[in-house]
Structures are given as structure tokens and as C-alpha cells.
Amino acid sequence: MKYTKMLSYKLKKALPAIGMMGSMLMTTSCEQEKDDYENQQKTIELTFGVWDSHNIVKILPDGTRTVSDTIIKYANDPTIKTIYLVTNDDWSGCTHPTITAIRVNGVEHPINYSSKVRGKGDFNFRLGEASRVPEDSLWFVRNGWTINKNR
């Protein structure tokens, strides 16, 4: 009689402990799969400059601008997590109308096309010009770029 009481008491403690260990193992394996998937996804960097934006924007025969085929290809690829548009030029000659034109005619198309597209890098606009178009300046910063970071 004592033997069964002792055995049932030990089983009452052992079963929940075994159940908790099993659930912890299951949680770890799910997190492992998620981490593996995120590690398999790639990030792409596409550079553009003042006179070189062909890999982010395409000009159609009628003069309108649209997203480049490169952006479309990368945005539809499930293995790519983020597409960064990286500035690689000197923007110090840009005045406030040019800043608006860069946004409207250039980088706004790819940013609006896919949530995978983000900005990266610094626009070193002429001092004081970015503050003359605050809505454009804020748009650049919200989408990942910096403005006059080193000044």
C-alpha cells in the first residue's frame, strides 16, 4: 500500500515536469526554423547617383517614369528581404526644386512599389536647401536616408 502511494506521488510531480520539457523543446524548434528562414533571406543594395538612376527608375518612351525591371525582379523574389537604394554621389549642387524632383521623379516610384524597398545613405544637399522643402526632407528621412549627416 505504501508502495502505490509513493509511486502515485512521484508520478504526480514527474508528468507535469515531462510535459513542460516537451513544450520547451517544441518552442525552441519553432524559433530555430524562423531564424533559419530569416538567415536565408538576402538584402540587396542598388546604388544610384545624380546622373545614374537607371537601375531604380525606367523612363518610358512618352517621358513618364516607372519602376525599373531590376526592382520588380527583386521585389517579387521571396528570398530577398530588403532592397536598399543607396546614394553614391555628391548631391551638394542640388537646390530645393531639385530635391523635390529627386523624390518625385526618382526614388518615390520604387519606395511606393514595394514595402521591401528602403533608402540607405546620405544626401549631402546644399546647406539650407533641404529646410526649404520640409515635406520632402521628412519623406527622405522616413524612408531610410539621412540628410547632411556629416555637417
Side-chain angles (χ1 to χ4, degrees), residues 128-148:
E129 291 297 316
S131 63
R132 294 178 73 182
V133 282
E135 62 281 353
D136 293 331
S137 301
L138 292 172
W139 185 90
F140 281 112
V141 172
R142 267 195 314 269
N143 287 293
W145 288 282
T146 57
I147 295 177
N148 296 336

Side-chain angles (χ1 to χ4, degrees), residues 110-142:
I111 293 285
N112 290 341
Y113 180 75
S114 173
S115 62
K116 291 181 178 184
V117 181
R118 298 280 305 144
K120 189 176 183 181
D122 183 53
F123 284 102
N124 62 332
F125 297 133
R126 183 180 295 170
L127 288 179
E129 291 297 316
S131 63
R132 294 178 73 182
V133 282
E135 62 281 353
D136 293 331
S137 301
L138 292 172
W139 185 90
F140 281 112
V141 172
R142 267 195 314 269

Side-chain angles (χ1 to χ4, degrees), residues 62-118:
D62 64 353
T64 59
R65 296 170 191 265
T66 187
V67 180
S68 72
D69 296 332
T70 307
I71 297 277
I72 293 170
K73 179 181 82 170
Y74 287 143
N76 292 329
D77 188 345
T79 64
I80 294 176
K81 182 179 180 181
T82 309
I83 305 164
Y84 288 110
L85 305 181
V86 183
T87 64
N88 70 344
D89 213 341
D90 180 24
W91 303 88
S92 62
C94 296
T95 59
H96 66 279
T98 310
I99 294 171
T100 301
I102 292 167
R103 180 180 69 87
V104 173
N105 295 326
V107 294
E108 190 172 45
H109 296 289
I111 293 285
N112 290 341
Y113 180 75
S114 173
S115 62
K116 291 181 178 184
V117 181
R118 298 280 305 144

